[in-house]
Amino acid sequence: MCIRDRFKIDHDATFEHSLHHDTLALTAALLASGISPDKATLFVQSHVPEHTELTWILSSIGPMSWLNKMTQYKDKKTKSSSLGLYSYPVLMAADILLYKANVVPVGDDQVQHVELTRDYAVRFNSLFCKPNEEFFPMPEYMKSEFPRVMSLRDGLKKMSKSDPSDFARINLVDDPETVMSKVRKAKTDSLSTIKHEESRPEVSNLLRIYSTLEGITLKEAEARFKTANMLSFKEAVAESIVKKICPIGEMSVQLYQDKQNLMSILKRGAEEAREIASKNLQDVKGLMGFLRV
């Protein structure tokens, strides 16, 4: 499992004061969520330089037209946009292909990136492998029934840390009182029924959050609130978040206090990842004809 810290870099250099903290905080959050370093390789992207070397190789064999069609660049680009914003999908492809991954769990806004990764895999295999052979497998994307959590302020926007309003999201470290307040103030509508409908994105978002946390279907969630009003519905959603998410946040705060242990876990993970990454990159360069010493 890769913590992709290079994606936090931006041309305004606003990341410099938080990059170290955020990397360790995410490490603590992943451990608190149940990721075991004894079963999974947990490492930081920048600790494995092979990622960027493969990025250069992939960027040299694929046309710019592939990147020109990426929707996230189209949505975010400005006159001062960096090359990194334009080319970061190549690094994402390298993150996947370097470990010859077969399945990638993604939200629905990342499906296009997996499709691009497949394009790079096909291009490499066609250029440097024998007929009917392939070095890179074709990664498939694994989508969940709830691939994107939407904003509490706008059911058509993704819940995001970059949203200017803290009330638009649930932070992992929010305490129960904060969670209750945010959900109570979440945007809904004036209709009296609690139903999952495309025309009611905010109510639908809360229903999906509730059903996912409770491990039930949307239909079952609707049935639970058949006679409920909006206030009692929001209270139930908030209570479910407090019950399932807040303990993870509390544990992550505790784990964050032992930074030395977190660093040790990441160091071990980087060593394990580099063992795989180095071999695969050497194989890539061998297929391409790079001189070895």
Side-chain angles (χ1 to χ4, degrees):
M1 179 168 288
C2 178
I3 297 175
R4 300 154 92 175
D5 56 339
R6 287 195 177 96
F7 292 116
K8 189 173 175 63
I9 300 174
D10 59 57
H11 66 280
D12 293 325
T14 55
F15 60 88
E16 60 180 325
H17 300 299
S18 62
L19 186 54
H20 183 276
H21 160 77
D22 289 350
T23 302
L24 290 179
L26 181 53
T27 303
L30 290 170
L31 295 173
S33 299
I35 300 299
S36 171
D38 295 325
K39 297 180 180 180
T41 299
L42 180 59
F43 67 100
V44 178
Q45 184 187 53
S46 63
H47 295 173
V48 183
E50 286 82 0
H51 286 246
T52 48
E53 186 168 358
L54 182 58
T55 298
W56 177 256
I57 290 172
L58 296 180
S59 68
S60 300
I61 65 171
M64 290 176 61
S65 59
W66 289 357
L67 298 180
N68 291 339
K69 67 182 181 182
M70 300 304 289
T71 56
Q72 291 200 25
Y73 174 71
K74 293 178 181 178
D75 293 341
K76 296 179 180 180
K77 68 178 180 179
T78 65
K79 290 183 178 180
S80 58
S81 292
S82 66
L83 175 60
L85 177 63
Y86 178 72
S87 63
Y88 84 90
V90 189
L91 178 55
M92 292 183 72
D95 290 340
I96 297 168
L97 295 178
L98 186 58
Y99 301 96
K100 305 177 79 171
N102 293 298
V103 179
V104 186
V106 295
D108 60 359
D109 59 329
Q110 297 296 313
V111 169
Q112 189 184 32
H113 290 278
V114 179
E115 293 172 344
L116 176 67
T117 300
R118 292 169 61 87
D119 289 339
Y120 280 113
V122 169
R123 175 60 60 89
F124 182 90
N125 292 339
S126 65
L127 289 175
F128 304 110
C129 295
K130 294 178 181 178
N132 301 318
E133 291 185 4
E134 64 177 31
F135 178 77
F136 288 125
M138 295 299 105
E140 301 287 345
Y141 53 84
M142 179 190 298
K143 294 182 67 175
S144 70
E145 293 183 7
F146 192 8
R148 189 188 299 203
V149 183
M150 310 309 285
S151 166
L152 298 179
R153 293 291 193 180
D154 183 348
L156 298 177
K157 289 173 55 180
K158 183 174 72 171
M159 186 179 289
S160 172
K161 292 184 298 183
S162 61
D163 194 297
S165 172
D166 194 52
F167 278 84
R169 60 183 169 271
I170 300 294
N171 301 303
L172 190 60
V173 294
D174 283 344
D175 58 41
E177 185 178 342
T178 301
V179 170
M180 297 295 288
S181 175
K182 287 182 175 181
V183 177
R184 286 193 195 106
K185 296 178 181 179
K187 180 183 176 183
T188 49
D189 54 46
S190 59
L191 300 182
S192 58
T193 57
I194 311 298
K195 294 183 70 66
H196 180 270
E197 297 175 342
E198 189 175 338
S199 60
R200 305 178 68 188
E202 287 79 21
V203 171
S204 296
N205 184 46
L206 293 179
L207 263 174
R208 294 176 79 178
I209 291 173
Y210 180 84
S211 65
T212 300
L213 291 176
E214 294 296 312
I216 60 177
T217 66
L218 283 170
K219 288 295 183 183
E220 290 171 328
E222 287 180 347
R224 287 190 184 185
F225 300 108
K226 187 175 182 179
T227 60
N229 58 34
M230 198 62 71
L231 178 60
S232 60
F233 168 57
K234 286 184 174 182
E235 291 289 329
V237 174
E239 288 172 4
S240 186
I241 295 173
V242 168
K243 180 175 66 175
K244 299 293 179 66
I245 302 299
C246 285
I248 297 175
E250 293 168 0
M251 176 61 74
S252 70
V253 171
Q254 294 178 24
L255 291 172
Y256 181 78
Q257 304 310 310
D258 191 353
K259 297 181 180 62
Q260 200 62 41
N261 180 54
L262 297 178
M263 292 292 290
S264 176
I265 291 171
L266 292 176
K267 183 176 185 295
R268 187 180 76 186
E271 291 170 352
E272 294 174 358
R274 286 208 71 182
E275 186 175 345
I276 300 170
S278 178
K279 178 186 181 307
N280 286 342
L281 183 62
Q282 288 304 313
D283 289 344
V284 165
K285 294 165 75 173
L287 287 169
M288 297 180 73
F290 279 91
L291 179 66
R292 302 197 198 194
V293 293

